[in-house]
Amino acid sequence: LLHFFGLDQKFLGLLDDAKAVISGSAALAVINGWTHTPRDLDIYVSSWSLQTLLERLLDEYDMIYVREPRAPGDRYDRISSAIVSIHTLRFGRFTIDVMEAKHTSMEPIFLFHSSVVMNAITAYSVFSAYPYLTSTMRNVVNSAIIPKKDPIKKEREARFL
C-alpha cells in the first residue's frame, strides 16, 4: 500500500501518532490481494488529532489542499452523524480524503452502507468487520441507509456485487 501510493514507513508512524486509520478502496485492495486498483486514499482521524495530522501531511509529504473542508453531505448520508468534516488533499496523482471523526477514527467505518467497506488499516494491523464475506468477494448491503448517489459503484466495479 505504501509503495503504491509513494509513501514511506514514516507514514505508518504518522498514522500511529494520530491514531488514524485507512479505509475505503485502499483498505479493500490490501485485504483482497489487490484485485482492484484504488483511486484514492481515505484516512479517518478523530477531531483531537486532525490538525496535527493535516499539518504533518502538508509539511512532510508536500501534499496540497484541493478543496476546503466541507461537511459530509449526501455522499456520506448515514455516517455523517460520525463525521465532522472532510479535507481533500492531493499527493501526486492521488486524492486523499481526510475524514474528521467526532469521536474515534473507527466509528464511521461501522456506519457504512455495506459490509465490503467495513475494513481498516492501522499502523500495525488490518481489520475487517466481515472477513469471510470480504475475502470471498461477497457483500451485505443495508438498503435502508443507501444514500441518493450510487455509493456502491466502486464495489460493483471491483466485482463485489
Side-chain angles (χ1 to χ4, degrees):
L1 178 69
L2 296 179
H3 177 72
F4 180 79
F5 283 102
L7 298 167
D8 55 19
Q9 286 296 117
K10 184 173 72 171
F11 183 76
L12 292 177
L14 175 56
L15 284 181
D16 185 41
D17 291 346
K19 303 301 180 235
V21 299
I22 295 170
S23 191
S25 60
L28 186 59
V30 169
I31 288 170
N32 270 358
W34 294 88
T35 57
H36 70 282
T37 303
R39 299 180 203 151
D40 61 359
L41 190 62
D42 296 329
I43 301 173
Y44 291 79
V45 63
S46 65
S47 292
W48 60 269
S49 293
L50 174 71
Q51 198 57 42
T52 302
L53 177 72
L54 287 173
E55 287 173 5
R56 288 185 64 191
L57 288 173
L58 294 168
D59 292 343
E60 296 174 27
Y61 291 94
D62 294 325
M63 294 184 186
I64 57 170
Y65 257 110
V66 174
R67 188 181 306 158
E68 289 299 311
R70 64 196 186 284
D74 285 345
R75 181 175 172 208
Y76 298 96
D77 190 36
R78 167 91 159 111
I79 65 171
S80 63
S81 64
I83 295 180
V84 177
S85 65
I86 302 169
H87 302 255
T88 302
L89 308 175
R90 173 77 61 195
F91 182 64
R93 61 188 173 122
F94 297 105
T95 299
I96 298 179
D97 285 326
V98 178
M99 318 285 185
E100 176 187 5
K102 280 186 183 174
H103 303 289
T104 69
S105 56
M106 290 290 287
E107 179 186 17
I109 293 165
F110 293 103
L111 299 175
F112 280 131
H113 52 76
S114 60
S115 64
V116 73
V117 287
M118 292 183 183
N119 309 300
I121 298 171
T122 72
Y124 302 106
S125 63
V126 176
F127 167 82
S128 180
Y130 297 90
Y132 178 76
L133 289 176
T134 304
S135 67
T136 58
M137 299 186 79
R138 290 183 172 83
N139 185 24
V140 175
V141 177
N142 185 346
S143 60
I145 61 173
I146 298 247
K148 295 171 191 125
K149 293 183 183 180
D150 186 1
I152 54 178
K153 181 180 177 187
K154 282 188 199 178
E155 291 80 10
R156 191 177 299 113
E157 289 171 356
R159 300 178 308 241
F160 275 87
L161 297 174

